Amino acid sequence: MLERFRARWARIMTPVADFLLRLGISPDAVTFVGTLGVSFGALWFFPRGQFFVGVMVVTLFVFSDIVDGLMARRSGRSSAWGAFLDSTLDRVGDAAVFGGLVLWYAGDGDDLLLMGVALWCLVGGQLTSYVRARAEALGMEAKGGIAERSDRLVAVLVMTGLSGLFDLPVLRTIVLWALAVASTITVIQRIVMVRRQALADA
């Protein structure tokens, strides 16, 4: 489903990618701008309780993740550096999204429990990515699990946006608890995958 979504938007965004290339803009520049936009949207609006507006801003810049990849492929600039930069800055954007929610609950949201849950979602997401990267550095694989990055991002943005649009904070509560549990399970799943491979190679 997600792959079909990305493929559909890739077709829509292709003229945008071509236009930016004609202007002489590099894929890396789009990656940087997209990350700044996501970070601004999440860290400016979420702590103020402006969840729907914040999600709209974040979503707008999330599409840069599709555009920069298209630009790299269509210009023949795909490289290990570009992939590294994109992956690294993706984690910055993810951290900003959950960090914005942490700041809300630490401030006007006044809920230390949900602040902790949102913080665990942030940490769990980063740990999920780290486990995979560390496994690959050791020549093993640690992909999959019940909550990959794209799943977490879509879930938190949709539910946070709806919570702001309909003034239903319970939607944020539900998605944060769900993602906290799912992230924990995903980390454990990936650790088990690596252990099995390590034992098989022993």
Side-chain angles (χ1 to χ4, degrees):
M1 179 178 172
L2 183 62
E3 289 304 318
R4 289 199 299 271
F5 173 83
R6 290 182 66 89
R8 185 178 302 114
W9 277 102
R11 289 193 296 272
I12 295 172
M13 292 295 178
T14 295
V16 176
D18 290 340
F19 175 71
L20 293 175
L21 287 171
R22 286 196 296 272
L23 292 179
I25 297 173
S26 71
D28 288 352
V30 173
T31 302
F32 275 113
V33 170
T35 302
L36 289 173
V38 168
S39 300
F40 170 78
L43 295 175
W44 180 264
F45 292 105
F46 288 0
R48 290 167 170 75
Q50 298 171 312
F51 298 110
F52 182 70
V53 175
V55 167
M56 291 299 99
V57 172
V58 169
T59 301
L60 176 65
F61 285 98
V62 161
F63 283 111
S64 68
D65 193 41
I66 297 175
V67 174
D68 60 6
L70 279 171
M71 292 173 67
R73 289 189 294 274
R74 294 179 73 81
S75 64
R77 298 185 196 175
S78 296
S79 64
W81 160 250
F84 168 81
L85 180 67
D86 185 60
S87 180
T88 300
L89 294 185
D90 278 348
R91 273 65 200 175
V92 173
D94 294 353
V97 169
F98 287 104
L101 293 173
V102 170
L103 292 175
W104 162 252
Y105 288 116
D108 291 343
D110 192 24
D111 191 323
L112 290 182
L113 177 59
L114 283 178
M115 181 198 75
V117 175
L119 182 59
W120 176 244
C121 288
L122 190 162
V123 173
Q126 302 298 311
L127 187 55
T128 300
S129 298
Y130 172 79
V131 171
R132 175 177 173 177
R134 183 60 178 151
E136 290 177 347
L138 294 171
M140 293 179 279
E141 288 191 359
K143 297 180 181 179
I146 66 171
E148 295 194 75
R149 175 191 177 254
S150 54
D151 302 321
R152 297 193 304 271
L153 188 60
V154 169
V156 74
L157 289 179
V158 168
M159 295 295 272
T160 298
L162 291 176
S163 75
L165 181 62
F166 297 111
D167 192 23
L168 290 172
V170 68
L171 297 179
R172 290 194 307 277
T173 301
I174 291 170
V175 75
L176 287 174
W177 276 107
L179 290 179
V181 172
S183 295
T184 302
I185 293 172
T186 301
V187 170
I188 293 171
Q189 287 176 313
R190 292 186 174 189
I191 290 173
V192 170
M193 290 178 199
V194 173
R195 176 170 170 75
R196 287 173 177 168
Q197 292 171 73
L199 290 176
D201 294 338

